[in-house]
Amino acid sequence: MAIAKHPSVVIDCPDASALAAFYAELLGWEVTREDEDWADIRPADGSNCISFQQVEVYQPPVWPGQTIPQQMHFDVIVEDLDKAEEAVLAIGASKHDHQPGETFRVFLDPAGHPFCLCVS
């Protein structure tokens, strides 16, 4: 028997509302809670939650270096890397210069966290 259920991920960032809006658009989820320094997003079925916590002295990670470790990253599956790249750039992501693979591409969200679009 599980001790707990329905884990969520909480991501530190400089602007909780802005980063929640970015990931809601990326994943097709909805912003379900927005406070001054906190925001949640969930899929329509409410099965998962990603939360964003605004921190005063936020420093974005430096990737692939480890001067400031990446802290976390998402890998999300897409059907077409080129189309997905165009879409994430349009909502505020930036493509990282370092691209170490062929079946995925590395981007930075608006707060500087790396995330990958993957086809497998």
Side-chain angles (χ1 to χ4, degrees), residues 12-96:
D12 287 354
C13 58
D15 184 334
S17 293
L19 202 56
F22 172 83
Y23 279 103
E25 181 73 21
L26 174 69
L27 299 171
W29 292 13
E30 297 178 27
V31 176
T32 58
R33 175 183 169 193
E34 229 173 332
D35 296 330
E36 184 178 319
D37 59 358
W38 187 275
D40 295 333
I41 63 170
R42 294 179 186 274
D45 68 6
S47 61
N48 296 309
C49 179
I50 300 172
S51 300
F52 303 89
Q53 175 176 270
Q54 195 161 305
V55 295
E56 202 170 301
V57 187
Y58 175 77
Q59 291 187 349
V62 177
W63 185 87
Q66 293 297 307
T67 328
I68 301 173
Q70 66 178 319
Q71 304 153 9
M72 69 75 157
H73 78 272
F74 288 112
D75 288 342
V76 295
I77 304 300
V78 299
E79 291 183 22
D80 183 304
L81 282 173
D82 293 330
K83 287 181 182 177
E85 177 175 329
E86 184 179 328
V88 299
L89 293 174
I91 63 171
S94 57
K95 188 173 182 181
H96 199 282

